[in-house]
Amino acid sequence: MRVINKIILPALLALASASAFAAPIDGVAGEPFKINNEVICLKEIQQQMTPYLKSFEEEKGVKYKFIVKTGLSYNDMAGLRLEVKRVDAGLNDHIADMDYYWIQERGSMCQPAYLILDRTEK
């Protein structure tokens, strides 16, 4: 399995708008936003990130699990701190840590405003 070190710049460029691209954000941690016991935006993040992460794996049928560590907030943005694990073929391998922020405006919910993806080995 190939491991990419630190922040992946192509992910930032592909997922973040030019106006939102800024220095790393240190969000305030708290409870993630939930509706009917489901974490807001988690499904959308999984759909957006899974194909991107799969592009780094050599095997087919790769599956990932996104574990919510905490909710985040910074200025007018909300976010999630996630741990990503590879779970296919009986694995439970740590793949990445991710901070994912979106602007708390109608129409932009779940659209990435900022992403930090750390794929260093632990």
Side-chain angles (χ1 to χ4, degrees):
M1 176 173 29
R2 235 182 287 164
V3 176
I4 308 293
N5 288 333
K6 288 293 172 189
I7 299 171
I8 299 175
L9 187 57
L12 290 171
L13 297 176
L15 295 176
S17 68
S19 63
F21 192 76
I25 298 170
D26 188 18
V28 177
E31 288 296 314
F33 300 106
K34 293 182 181 180
I35 294 179
N36 296 330
N37 213 24
E38 287 190 28
V39 177
I40 293 178
C41 297
L42 183 58
K43 288 180 183 175
E44 291 83 354
I45 294 169
Q46 290 172 320
Q47 289 172 351
Q48 292 169 12
M49 290 306 301
T50 298
Y52 178 77
L53 291 169
K54 281 183 179 179
S55 70
F56 290 100
E57 307 295 343
E58 295 177 0
E59 304 106 39
K60 296 196 181 231
V62 176
K63 293 184 181 170
Y64 298 99
K65 180 178 182 181
F66 292 75
I67 301 164
V68 177
K69 292 297 193 179
T70 187
L72 298 169
S73 63
Y74 181 80
N75 289 342
D76 63 343
M77 290 188 287
L80 293 173
R81 179 162 287 153
L82 305 169
E83 179 180 343
V84 184
K85 292 192 172 203
R86 182 174 170 180
V87 295
D88 57 285
L91 297 174
N92 191 24
D93 293 341
H94 179 269
I95 297 298
D97 293 309
M98 182 186 319
D99 285 358
Y100 187 102
Y101 289 88
W102 62 89
I103 297 173
Q104 297 181 50
E105 293 178 357
R106 181 174 230 140
S108 67
M109 284 294 289
C110 306
Q111 294 299 315
Y114 197 87
L115 169 72
I116 300 171
L117 182 64
D118 181 356
R119 287 188 43 108
T120 55
E121 287 190 57
K122 294 199 174 197

